[in-house]
């Protein structure tokens, strides 16, 4: 898939998001969901949130070994744009977690989803500013929202 | 297909070709066993400063054979380590360290690091705060 076609699909997907909000309003009288549909939630995590987070996290790193120190960071406008677009996906995925399709009656769910939205917005700004340290810093807060939500809501399989 | 599913499908298509995850983000209990504490002493062969977890690789002599085995130690996010006094040059390659942590559930040579003691006696906490690790309760 070409970069332009990916961009078109991404834009199309983001245009659909307001429609999600519309459906949220229409179903407001329905009983609140209790964790959403697990399969859909796992798919959202595995196929959308996790890959997008990995791009943001993996954008900046330093590796020290016997071969020396290697710093990695986006170097071109296109590489920064990739980081930004994945941060946008994270933000909008956080918003999706707040809709009736996935929302949980436990207020901690909304708190962590909002934390993901806010930290992703920081990542978007850092990418727009080509701020290497900013991307490194916001990676921690993105992970914290993920880990704390998993800690509370993700069933840990028995050993 | 309702709107939310359409959104999900569209975004999934966009990122179907995204890079394979480097490391997973997770709560402590998803990967590590709080009932399997481990203490490892060995020489540092690699340090990776990357989100969501930094990694320390050490070569630990097998107690039976004496042959070195490679262990990977999961640590906190880079900025967590920086706030605790780590820098990128705190641990030089070849430095002998002792790591206190918890073994991975899958039995691999992987552990979640808590305290690391350097050769000069300095002790540094390297854990991932807020993930439900046993040391979270002590902080």
């Amino acid at each position: 898939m070409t970069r332009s076609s990916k961009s078109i699909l991404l834009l199309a997907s983001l245009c659909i998001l307001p429609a999600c909000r519309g459906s949220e309003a229409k179903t407001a009288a329905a009983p609140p969901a209790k964790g959403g549909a697990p399969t859909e939630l796992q798919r959202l995590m595995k196929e959308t949130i996790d890959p997008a987070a990995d791009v943001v996290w993996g954008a900046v790193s330093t590796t020290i070994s016997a071969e020396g120190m290697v710093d990695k960071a986006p170097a071109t406008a296109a590489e920064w744009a990739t980081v930004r677009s994945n941060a946008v996906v994270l933000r909008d995925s956080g918003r999706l977690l707040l809709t009736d399709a996935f929302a949980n009656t436990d207020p901690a769910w909304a708190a962590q989803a909002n934390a993901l939205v806010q930290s992703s917005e920081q990542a978007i700004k850092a990418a727009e500013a080509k701020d290497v340290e900013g991307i490194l810093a916001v990676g921690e807060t993105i992970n914290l929202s993920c880990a704390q939500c998993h800690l509370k809501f993700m069933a840990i399989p028995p050993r | 297909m309702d709107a939310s599913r359409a959104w999900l499908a569209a975004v999934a298509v966009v990122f179907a070709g995204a890079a394979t995850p480097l490391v997973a983000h997770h709560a402590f209990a998803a990967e590590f066993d709080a009932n399997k504490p481990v203490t490892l002493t060995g020489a540092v062969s690699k340090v990776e400063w990357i989100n969501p977890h930094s990694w320390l690789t050490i070569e630990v002599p097998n107690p039976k054979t004496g042959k070195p085995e490679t262990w990977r130690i999961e640590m906190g996010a880079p900025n967590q380590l920086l706030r605790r006094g780590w820098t990128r040059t705190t641990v030089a390659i070849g430095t002998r360290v002792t790591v206190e942590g918890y073994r991975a559930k899958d039995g691999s040579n992987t552990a979640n690091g808590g305290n690391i003691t350097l050769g000069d006696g300095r002790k540094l906490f390297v854990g991932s705060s807020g993930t439900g690790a046993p040391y979270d309760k002590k902080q």
Side-chain angles (χ1 to χ4, degrees):
Chain A
M1 185 179 287
T2 64
R3 185 180 301 278
S4 60
S5 59
K6 282 184 177 180
S7 299
I8 291 168
L9 267 174
L10 177 60
L11 284 171
S13 70
L14 296 178
C15 290
I16 294 168
L17 189 57
C20 299
R21 297 192 186 118
S23 67
E24 180 184 20
K26 288 172 189 170
T27 57
K34 294 180 179 177
T39 304
E40 289 299 306
L41 181 60
Q42 288 167 11
R43 189 177 302 162
L44 176 66
M45 294 293 167
K46 182 180 178 182
E47 297 184 4
T48 305
I49 294 178
D50 201 36
D54 281 324
V55 172
V56 176
W57 284 327
V60 176
S61 68
T62 298
T63 301
I64 305 156
S65 70
E67 283 73 45
M69 185 183 298
V70 177
D71 289 319
K72 179 191 170 198
T76 66
E79 288 172 354
W80 278 111
T82 298
V83 175
R84 183 191 178 281
S85 63
N86 280 277
V88 167
V89 169
L90 278 183
R91 179 197 63 191
D92 292 340
S93 296
R95 289 174 176 168
L96 188 62
L97 291 172
L98 292 164
T99 66
D100 279 355
F102 296 101
N104 190 299
T105 52
D106 189 324
W109 180 272
Q112 294 305 333
N114 277 315
L116 176 61
V117 170
Q118 290 165 13
S119 56
S120 300
E121 285 177 342
Q122 291 173 20
I124 293 167
K125 289 176 183 173
E128 289 171 345
K130 298 180 173 57
D131 178 1
V132 171
E133 295 302 320
I135 290 293
L136 195 67
V138 79
E140 177 190 353
T141 51
I142 290 172
N143 181 54
L144 199 58
S145 65
C146 295
Q148 294 197 336
C149 198
H150 294 172
L151 189 61
K152 185 168 182 62
F153 295 104
M154 191 172 84
I156 305 297
R159 284 181 290 134
Chain B
M1 184 182 284
D2 61 31
S4 61
R5 283 170 188 253
W7 183 90
L8 183 59
V11 177
V13 166
V14 171
F15 290 94
T20 303
L22 297 171
V23 285
H25 57 287
H26 51 75
F28 172 90
E31 299 289 336
F32 300 100
D33 191 335
N35 296 315
K36 288 186 179 174
V38 64
T39 300
L40 301 161
T41 298
V44 174
S45 58
K46 187 189 283 187
V47 185
E48 296 162 88
W49 288 71
I50 188 169
N51 281 304
H53 302 285
S54 304
W55 289 87
L56 184 73
T57 304
I58 58 175
E59 307 304 319
V60 181
N62 182 298
K64 294 179 181 174
T65 66
K67 291 181 179 177
E69 293 180 344
T70 301
W71 279 77
R72 295 192 77 221
I73 312 300
E74 183 185 275
M75 306 190 291
N79 273 29
Q80 285 182 326
L81 300 184
L82 287 169
R83 285 197 300 274
R84 294 172 191 153
W86 276 72
T87 70
R88 288 169 172 78
T89 56
T90 295
V91 181
I93 299 304
T95 301
R96 187 176 167 86
V97 298
T98 296
V99 177
E100 299 167 58
Y102 297 89
R103 294 196 65 152
K105 286 181 172 179
D106 66 5
S108 64
N109 286 356
T110 307
N112 181 282
N115 284 315
I116 289 184
T117 305
L118 306 183
D120 61 8
R122 281 182 296 160
K123 187 174 280 192
L124 295 165
F125 176 66
V126 298
S128 301
S129 299
T131 62
Y135 45 71
D136 267 353
K137 299 168 188 171
K138 299 175 186 173
Q139 287 188 301

